[in-house]
Every structure is written in C-alpha cells, then in structure tokens.
Amino acid sequence: MIKNKIFTLLISGFILGLVFTGCSNQQEAGGTDEAAKRVYVAPGQYDEFYTFMSGGFSGQVTVYGIPSGRLFKIIPVFSQDAETAYGYSEETKAMLNTSYGFIPWGDAHHPELSETDGVHDGKWLFINENNTPRVARIDLTEFETAEILELPNSAGNHGSPFITENNEYVVASTRFSVPIPQKDVPIKSYKENFNGTISFIKVDKTSGEMSIGFQILVPGFNYDLAHAGKGPSHDWAFFTCYNSEQANSLLEINASRNDKDFIAAVNWKLAEKYVSEGKAKKVAANYAHNHMDEKTQTAVSVMNKEVLVLDPKDAPGMIYYIPTPKSPHGVDVDPTGQYIVGGGKLSTVLPVHSFDKMIKAIENKEFDGDVDGIPILKYDAVIAGEVKEPGLGPLHTEFDDKGFAYTTAFISSEIVKWKIGTWEVVDRVQTYYSPGHLNVPGGDTKKPWGKYVISLNKITKDRYLPTGPALCQSAQLFDISGDKMKLLLDFPTIGEPHYAQSIPAEMLMKNSKKIYKLEDNEHPYAAKGVKETKVERKGNEFHVTIGASRSHFTPDNIEGAKVGDKVYFHVTNFEQDWDIPHGFAVMGNRNSELLIMPGQTRTILWEPQKVGVYPFYCTDFCSALHQEMQGYIRVSAQNSNPEIKYTLGE
Amino acid sequence: MKKQSRILLAIASISLILVFFFPIWRIYLDAPQYPEGLGLNIWVNKVTGLNSNDLETINGLNHYIGMEKILPDAIPELSIMPWIIIALIGWGLFASIINKKWAVYVWLCTFIIVGAVGLYDFYQWEYTYGHNLNPDAPIKIPGMSYQPPLIGQKQLLNINALSIPFVGTYVILFSVLISFFVLIKKKTVGKN
C-alpha cells in the first residue's frame, strides 16, 4: 500500500517537473537586464564571495567567484592532476596514499569551511572522500591540499566533514555499513555482522592538523548527512540515517518501507568525557595520515595503527535516535541552534525538531523503544513543527540572515523558502533541474551573510549548448535579498557540485600567498641558486638538480644518463615574482609535466627507454623568450659508462 | 648668532638623522605585467626594492636588455654617503655650538656641493646602467638606451619609469632652507 503511494508520488512528481520545465523558459525571460547587472563584475573588479564547490566525482574542489559564476581554480585533492603534477610528482604522490596503497581517484562531496564561534574564519576548507573514506584539509592561504586523513572502520564516508563551532571536531558518518572489523561473512548476515561508525576528527587549533579523536560504533543503518549544533546545541551533533530496515539488497524498495527513519543526536561533549574516563576501547586499525610538510614542500605519509572506539552500550546518554519521516537525507541546524531540520526525501512534510524539546524529552525519558540500547525519542515530544508542502523530495536546507530557510526539493525541482517559527512556505522558485544541495553564503553558520542562494543541480539537460552525451554540471544563482527569490545566473560546474560553501572575498584575498620564499625552501634537492645546481649519479638513480628562471634552465645541456636509469628532475623555480610559474616536460616521459610555483622545488621521474638526445622545455608561457626556454639530456647505452657533464651557455 | 638661530641650526643638523630612515629617491616602474607595482628605493646607504623582491625581479627583467645587475655592494658611494651625512650633522652642531657665522657658511657650502655632486653622481650611475649594455642581450633595439630619468617620467619599452625625490631629499632641503633662513635673518639683524 505504502509502496504504491510512494510510487504515485514519484510519478506525479516527475510529471509535475516536466510540466514546470515546459513553461520554464517563458518564466525567466523577464528582468534579464536587472539580473545581468547583478551578476556583472566589471573587468578588473572582484567578486563579492569566494565559493568552494565540491568537484564531485572529479575528486577535486573548484573555486568560483560569486555573483559572476567565474571559475578561478581547480584544487586537486583526491584525484591525480597531470596539469599540476599533483599525485605524479615525487613530492605529492604520498598525498594519495591509503591503507590500500596509492589511489589515483576519489569522490569528493562536501566542502566545509573552518569556524570560530560558529562563523567561518577563513583558515581551512575540509572536504570528504566518499569511496575510500578520507577527509582532506585545504590551506586557504595557498589554496592547496595540506592534509588527507584516512578513516578506518568506515565505508562510504558521506556524512562528512561537518564541523563543530570552533573546529573542535570534524564529524564523519558511514553511508555504508560493513563488518567492523572487516571479515569474510555472507552478505545476508548483514543484520548480525554489519555496523556503521561515527568518527570525531580532532583539529589542532593552530596547525589545523587532524587526528581521529574517537569513533562511535552504531547500528548498521546508512548514515547519510550531518551537522553539528550551535549556540545552545553546541555540545551535540546530528546525523541522519536511512535503511533502518537494515536491507542489504534492492535498497530503493527495501530501505523505503519504514514510515520513519532517524536522526541520531550525539552528545560529543559527553562522548569526550567517556573517552577521557577510558570507556573507549583501543582497536587495532591501519589508516594513512598524509600531510604536506611545509618546509620541504613534500608530502609525508604515516600509517596509524590504532583508533579509539566507543560502544554506546558503555556510554549511556551519549546518543539518541529522533524519528524522522521517510529516509531523511540532509540535517540542518538553524543559525540559533534551536531547530534541526530533517530532509525526508520521500516525505510530504519537512519535519523541524526542537533542541529544547529534545533535551526535555531526554530528561522525561519520553522514549519509544530502542535500537540496540539506543533510546528512540517520541516524535511528538521532539517535533517543533512541520513545513507543509515543502516540495517533493526535500533534501537540504540552508538559512539566511532574516529568519528564513531555503529547502531544495529534488523531485519537484524547486527551492522552497519558508519562515522559521511559523513553518509557512512564503515563496518557491523552479530550478533547472533537480537540485541536491544548495548554498547561502554562511548559510549553515550562526551568522549567514545571506544575499544569494546557489542551487546545485543534478540534471543539466538543455540549459547550455549541447556537448554530446556528457554534459557539464550546473549551478544556478538566485537573489534572495527581497521577498521573492529571483534567478540571476546559470553557470556550469565541474564534476557533480554536491555542496558548496561561500565566504566574503575580503576574508581570504588578503591572506592569499603570492610566492614561496626561496630562502625557506628546505627541500633536500632544492637549488637555492645557480651555484647549487648539479647532476649526480647514485647507482641507477640519476639526479638532476636544476633551476628555472626567465628564460632558461640551469643547466640546460645534460649528459651522463643511461637507458634503465631512474632520472629524477628536481626543478627549483628561482623566481620570487608573483605569477611566474615555470613548467617542465621531457619528451617521451610516461609521466606528467611539472608545474612549479616561484620558490618551489618539484621532482618528476623519467625512465628513458632508448638512447638518444631528448629535449625538455618550459610548458608555462613565462616570458617573451619562453620559447627559448629549453634544454637537452643525452641518454647513453645501458652498458656504457658516460661521463657526467652539465653546462649552460657553452 | 642669536640663541634662536643656534637652536634652528641644531634642529637642521639633527633632523638629517631622518635621512637614514627614509629613501632619498624613488623610482616607480609601471609595466602591463606588473599591476601590483614595481620599483626601487634609493637610500644614502643602500638600494632596495619597493616590495620585498623587487630588486631581484628588476635585475631579472633587466637581463633581457643586457643591463648590468644592480648590486648595492658594488656601489662605493653607498658606503661613503653615510659618513658624509654624519660629518654634516657633526659640523652643523659644531657651528651651532661655536656660534660662528663662517662655520655656518662652510656648512651650507659643503652641503650644497655635496648635494650637487650627489645628484650628478646619481645621474652618472643611471647613465652607466642605461647605456652600458651587454652586446649579447636577447633584446637589442638600435639606438635604444634605458637610462631612467633623474626626475620625471620616461617610457622604456614596456616600462614607464617615474623617478622622484623622496622623503630623505625633502629632509635635506628642509635643512638647507633652515640654514639659509638663519643666515639671512642674521644679516637683517646685523643691518639694523
């Protein structure tokens, strides 16, 4: 019966969607001049906000300007990038190390800016990897990946990396439950053998360095998304979960049977206390912790062997389940920290829970049974209100600075604006098509900056010039400064833009690094000047320590390499001038190029296969004489004994 | 000299100390590739970049036209000038203490001569840098030299050079004007 209802709902949703789509193009035609003015950033002027978007299955993070929608940078995070040599150069390979070895790709989902007192502080950006559970930290002075931490006892790191008000913890919950620890069991033994975990990753206040504080072992549901509390709910973090049916096959039907699934409310302060009291068990594990050493500019990968795991049975009062209708997806906490919105993706209403009521319900033990000893709170005892007609398939909610909330509805393809407290819908606007997350600048913090909402759409279809079957992904910018939301701009994005966060430009641009200081470069193969350039043989390793400046390499004629050698080109960019990177590529190298920022040293490995003389050159147009920036390396026969010679200008 | 004049003279001398804290000349270089600005500060005892790496960057760029590197250590004037300034300060104070008109004249004359010779020397350095070009330079334009102006503006290929006296020079001028004032005042007093 219920199954039928859902089916009808979905079908009608799609039909509605199609109807809306059909008349959409007329709707948005009006007011084009006004919209154009709002998104026009004159040449040489700057955007108001930086927006960090998840690159989705590209594994990277993209940096956009809002309101113009211009792409500034793709930050390589979880995937190799042949353009910048990220994951190819000897210095960066270790960033992609895991307990499974080197992994060239990742699935990036949720960018999350660091916070102080519940407001973005512009220090770091965190982002999760879903497939091989990891969390990365990006340094916002360099806009480069500084650290990647693998998560043990985890599968499908989706509910991550949401952050507490002062970066005390980055949280991470498991979308897939698996046997913990992993073992060879029948898949059908799911209910007995499978569990999820919720990880609390500590963040060092000054360096930002991550370490796993503790993990909580939870029943084998699918933990989907999360948000930490704020203000009164500071000590708590909230995690949605679906598949409370604990299905292990055909989840689209079997995990949609229950009328309500849960939001897990975790008191992390209490968990911290239990951990300090020794209630957590030390469990053997194996997980990689990779960080970019600032001085040597080289990634270091360390395997960690232990993790603290808390069982809720040993930690009473630490975790409660709040019933939430129909496979909730997003869980979002309003700026006051009082209301917790659950996006029941198959629900017809949007439930909003009250933090105060939750605390009272816990005090009064208003429970409705338990799951493995975790008390289930009574829905009516916790609910603050329900938003009626929130659109079909409500997923995610963000907040503005005026007491309104904005919820995406995937199936009806719209953003619905509603008022916190009265729960009434005040406006709705079509999106093209089917939004997942949305982003209001500062919209998940204590102090939203408001002004815009960005819809991050899952379907692109006819919005741009067609490019064959594979289309770009799509974001849309809406003005929310007035009573009615107004569509301002469509702009294409890279990978699936799962989520985005925005921060006022002035908070970051003043800290943005221009160069790396050559004098601070402690790379073991750095050449801090022409005098330190050299070529040396160490067994079958042939190390070329070379300098790049406009417009030559020092040295540029190199002899003495042999077939079968591992030739390492350690290229230091001598420049100390803004925006003068040099590139490096050698003919026939089955490896990437190098792109070296001023003052940096980067190393690429070349294994020459045939004798001959091979040219190398600068790949980044650096100066008027860039085309002259080249050199030759001679490769002699494997059994020969060539003399090492290296020169410049002879 | 009246007490007031002697104090003024002492102030004129002591204020010369400021010359060590501010550049005497500044050259702004404006190029399409450098919207953030590029330039040099000329001090009595050193040459520095306007921004932290400007000197290195300018030297790097100059190699295209074959200009010699600006190496402050290779400019002997930069080690002599500070002593001259210190001597001027000392003599000024001495003149103020011994309270002799001739001492002030000597001070002022020396001052003016030093200033004029300094300016001429600066011009000579600019001339040398601008004309003494490496014949193997990648960019050679017949008849083109790259001497920056002493004061004012000049287009040198893609770079617009603007050269102006800076705070240090104004301090020197202030000193000279005060000593003029002291002498003139004394004369008027004498006539009456």
Side-chain angles (χ1 to χ4, degrees):
Chain A
M1 199 44 205
I2 289 167
K3 201 166 90 186
N4 282 344
K5 260 190 193 161
I6 290 164
F7 192 64
T8 328
L9 201 76
L10 287 170
I11 290 291
S12 56
F14 280 125
I15 292 168
L16 261 168
L18 289 175
V19 170
F20 279 127
T21 315
C23 50
S24 66
N25 291 332
Q26 284 88 31
Q27 275 183 19
E28 61 184 302
T32 311
D33 283 354
E34 172 62 22
K37 271 182 210 152
R38 291 293 310 279
V39 302
Y40 181 67
V41 176
Q45 299 297 303
Y46 296 127
D47 278 285
E48 206 178 337
F49 292 98
Y50 280 102
T51 295
F52 295 91
M53 290 211 190
S54 143
F57 36 69
S58 81
Q60 319 297 42
V61 165
T62 52
V63 187
Y64 284 82
I66 291 296
S68 73
R70 296 179 293 185
L71 173 66
F72 299 142
K73 183 171 183 177
I74 300 172
I75 305 172
V77 186
F78 296 114
S79 295
Q80 276 183 304
D81 180 45
E83 177 184 341
T84 57
Y86 180 83
Y88 291 95
S89 68
E90 296 303 305
E91 289 79 10
T92 56
K93 272 182 187 171
M95 286 306 276
L96 300 180
N97 191 36
T98 71
S99 60
Y100 303 87
F102 177 88
I103 294 184
W105 169 89
D107 182 16
H109 275 251
H110 311 117
E112 181 87 355
L113 289 157
S114 58
E115 294 181 7
T116 299
D117 297 328
V119 180
H120 292 157
D121 59 19
K123 286 186 192 166
W124 308 297
L125 180 81
F126 297 89
I127 188 155
N128 61 321
E129 204 274 281
N130 189 55
N131 185 49
T132 305
R134 284 173 283 173
V135 172
R137 178 172 56 87
I138 291 163
D139 180 306
L140 293 180
T141 63
E142 298 176 288
F143 289 66
E144 299 287 350
T145 306
E147 187 184 8
I148 293 181
L149 178 68
E150 190 181 357
L151 298 173
N153 303 324
S154 172
N157 177 38
H158 193 265
S160 169
F162 301 95
I163 203 161
T164 58
E165 282 186 290
N166 292 297
N167 310 331
E168 291 98 338
Y169 290 102
V170 166
V171 304
S173 61
T174 50
R175 184 173 137 203
F176 307 128
S177 284
V178 287
I180 293 176
Q182 274 290 5
K183 56 189 170 214
D184 178 14
V185 293
I187 297 168
K188 286 207 165 146
S189 70
Y190 187 102
K191 284 184 186 171
E192 303 89 81
N193 283 322
F194 288 43
N195 275 99
T197 58
I198 296 174
S199 302
F200 284 80
I201 302 165
K202 269 189 188 165
V203 179
D204 186 272
K205 274 200 159 42
T206 47
S207 69
E209 190 175 316
M210 299 183 283
S211 60
I212 299 173
F214 54 91
Q215 297 187 307
I216 299 172
L217 194 70
V218 284
F221 307 152
N222 291 35
Y223 294 83
D224 206 6
L225 281 153
H227 257 107
K230 35 179 108 86
S233 54
H234 172 77
D235 297 354
W236 294 75
F238 305 93
F239 303 83
T240 47
C241 57
Y242 60 101
N243 193 20
S244 55
E245 299 85 350
Q246 296 195 280
N248 58 279
S249 183
L250 196 63
L251 265 65
E252 63 173 324
I253 304 292
N254 294 328
S256 304
R257 291 185 198 282
N258 286 355
D259 208 33
K260 288 191 174 63
D261 296 279
F262 303 115
I263 288 173
V266 175
N267 185 336
W268 57 264
K269 273 276 185 194
L270 189 59
E272 218 174 31
K273 187 169 157 277
Y274 284 129
V275 171
S276 71
E277 288 168 1
K279 296 274 165 66
K281 288 190 186 79
K282 270 188 191 162
V283 173
N286 188 32
Y287 57 102
H289 184 197
N290 315 327
H291 80 278
M292 190 53 84
D293 184 286
E294 235 174 81
K295 288 175 181 160
T296 60
Q297 289 271 312
T298 302
V300 180
S301 180
V302 177
M303 297 308 293
N304 290 357
K305 299 291 181 189
E306 217 171 53
V307 69
L308 287 169
V309 178
L310 255 180
D311 190 324
K313 290 189 188 82
D314 305 325
M318 177 182 70
I319 175 166
Y320 297 90
Y321 279 132
I322 306 169
T324 302
K326 304 301 319 172
S327 302
H329 188 58
V331 53
D332 301 285
V333 182
D334 86 310
T336 67
Q338 186 54 245
Y339 296 112
I340 303 136
V341 184
K345 59 183 181 265
L346 304 176
S347 168
T348 50
V349 296
L350 190 70
V352 183
H353 301 297
S354 152
F355 178 73
D356 283 349
K357 284 180 81 176
M358 182 191 91
I359 294 297
K360 264 188 210 120
I362 292 170
E363 279 167 7
N364 301 334
K365 296 198 164 29
E366 292 183 69
F367 301 146
D368 215 350
D370 68 281
V371 183
D372 294 351
I374 297 172
I376 300 170
L377 297 166
K378 282 195 171 129
Y379 181 75
D380 293 334
V382 177
I383 194 81
E386 288 175 342
V387 180
K388 308 279 188 240
E389 292 175 23
L392 300 170
L395 293 183
H396 298 281
T397 302
E398 292 239 320
F399 305 91
D400 71 6
D401 48 338
K402 300 181 193 115
F404 292 99
Y406 301 80
T407 302
T408 51
F410 178 85
I411 298 170
S412 52
S413 187
E414 59 186 332
I415 292 176
V416 178
K417 177 182 177 181
W418 50 275
K419 186 145 184 61
I420 297 169
T422 68
W423 324 120
E424 63 181 327
V425 172
V426 294
D427 190 24
R428 53 208 316 150
V429 66
Q430 283 295 297
T431 64
Y432 309 98
Y433 305 95
S434 292
H437 279 268
L438 77 174
N439 170 239
V440 173
D444 76 333
T445 69
K446 252 184 186 170
K447 197 190 92 185
W449 284 287
K451 250 184 138 162
Y452 302 107
V453 62
I454 303 165
S455 173
L456 303 161
N457 302 327
K458 300 293 189 192
I459 298 170
T460 305
K461 299 271 185 189
D462 59 349
R463 296 302 286 183
Y464 306 97
L465 290 175
T467 52
L471 301 172
C472 64
Q473 305 280 327
S474 170
Q476 292 185 291
L477 181 73
F478 294 87
D479 168 36
I480 56 166
S481 54
D483 290 340
K484 295 279 173 198
M485 294 178 276
K486 281 184 205 139
L487 176 59
L488 298 177
L489 181 71
D490 274 24
F491 59 100
T493 70
I494 289 164
E496 188 184 331
H498 287 281
Y499 183 42
Q501 288 211 330
S502 307
I503 186 167
E506 68 264 22
M507 285 183 71
L508 297 191
M509 58 188 293
K510 62 177 191 288
N511 299 327
S512 190
K513 250 186 206 162
K514 289 185 170 173
I515 58 160
Y516 296 99
K517 280 189 184 161
L518 196 57
E519 67 204 59
D520 296 341
N521 183 336
E522 290 183 23
H523 190 291
Y525 284 96
K528 293 196 193 181
V530 171
K531 279 180 192 159
E532 293 180 17
T533 59
K534 58 177 180 282
V535 177
E536 54 192 341
R537 172 174 290 284
K538 291 176 182 170
N540 75 332
E541 290 183 0
F542 193 77
H543 291 270
V544 181
T545 302
I546 190 171
S549 55
R550 282 165 287 175
S551 304
H552 57 272
F553 291 105
T554 312
D556 67 356
N557 277 198
I558 299 152
E559 300 192 0
K562 294 191 289 183
V563 171
D565 275 352
K566 283 178 182 292
V567 178
Y568 292 94
F569 291 101
H570 309 282
V571 188
T572 300
N573 183 345
F574 286 158
E575 309 282 355
Q576 292 288 277
D577 194 357
W578 190 23
D579 194 22
I580 310 286
H582 287 292
F584 180 88
V586 60
M587 184 174 141
N589 192 10
R590 293 174 295 173
N591 207 341
S592 79
E593 69 152 347
L594 285 177
L595 192 64
I596 315 120
M597 294 305 128
Q600 211 176 31
T601 303
R602 283 282 179 260
T603 303
I604 200 79
L605 171 63
W606 177 48
E607 297 176 85
Q609 299 149 278
K610 285 182 275 186
V611 298
V613 177
Y614 296 88
F616 55 82
Y617 70 104
C618 173
T619 53
D620 188 316
F621 205 105
C622 56
S623 71
L625 295 168
H626 159 76
Q627 292 298 85
E628 282 71 12
M629 193 163 173
Q630 63 163 60
Y632 290 105
I633 180 163
R634 177 179 170 186
V635 177
S636 303
Q638 193 155 21
N639 52 8
S640 66
N641 192 18
E643 191 194 341
I644 293 178
K645 277 197 263 182
Y646 52 100
T647 55
L648 170 71
E650 282 177 21
Chain B
M1 287 187 287
K2 276 190 162 182
K3 197 181 171 191
Q4 196 190 6
S5 300
R6 292 171 66 189
I7 291 169
L8 277 174
L9 195 57
I11 290 172
S13 309
I14 290 166
S15 62
L16 283 178
I17 291 170
L18 287 172
V19 166
F20 290 98
F21 296 97
F22 296 98
I24 48 171
W25 226 263
R26 183 170 273 188
I27 301 176
Y28 293 96
L29 301 171
D30 190 19
Q33 295 80 5
Y34 288 88
E36 72 274 26
L38 198 59
L40 290 175
N41 282 323
I42 321 286
W43 306 64
V44 286
N45 57 346
K46 59 186 174 183
V47 178
T48 60
L50 199 54
N51 308 299
S52 57
N53 295 305
D54 279 7
L55 185 58
E56 293 77 7
T57 303
I58 290 165
N59 279 335
L61 294 172
N62 285 350
H63 96 276
Y64 288 116
I65 49 169
M67 205 189 254
E68 228 179 287
K69 274 192 179 170
I70 301 168
L71 302 171
D73 290 348
I75 303 172
E77 286 86 334
L78 296 175
S79 47
I80 300 166
M81 277 298 280
W83 295 109
I84 296 177
I85 297 291
I86 289 166
L88 281 171
I89 294 170
W91 188 266
L93 288 174
F94 173 72
S96 156
I97 291 162
I98 63 163
N99 194 11
K100 296 281 187 228
K101 190 178 154 189
W102 64 267
V104 184
Y105 275 115
V106 169
W107 192 65
L108 188 59
C109 289
T110 319
F111 213 153
I112 290 167
I113 291 164
V114 165
V117 170
L119 271 182
Y120 178 73
D121 186 59
F122 181 38
Y123 176 86
Q124 276 302 318
W125 273 107
E126 287 190 330
Y127 183 90
T128 311
Y129 276 120
H131 289 80
N132 183 21
L133 304 173
N134 184 342
D136 287 338
I139 299 171
K140 272 184 291 190
I141 296 168
M144 183 78 188
S145 64
Y146 304 97
Q147 181 184 356
L150 192 60
I151 296 181
Q153 196 168 303
K154 194 172 169 190
Q155 187 73 29
L156 304 165
L157 298 185
N158 63 329
I159 290 173
N160 191 292
L162 171 68
S163 182
I164 50 164
F166 205 62
V167 178
T169 300
Y170 302 132
V171 168
I172 293 170
L173 282 177
F174 167 78
S175 249
V176 170
L177 285 176
I178 285 186
S179 51
F180 258 127
F181 175 73
V182 166
L183 289 172
I184 291 163
K185 199 176 154 209
K186 208 174 167 208
K187 269 185 183 166
T188 4
V189 171
K191 274 178 189 169
N192 293 343

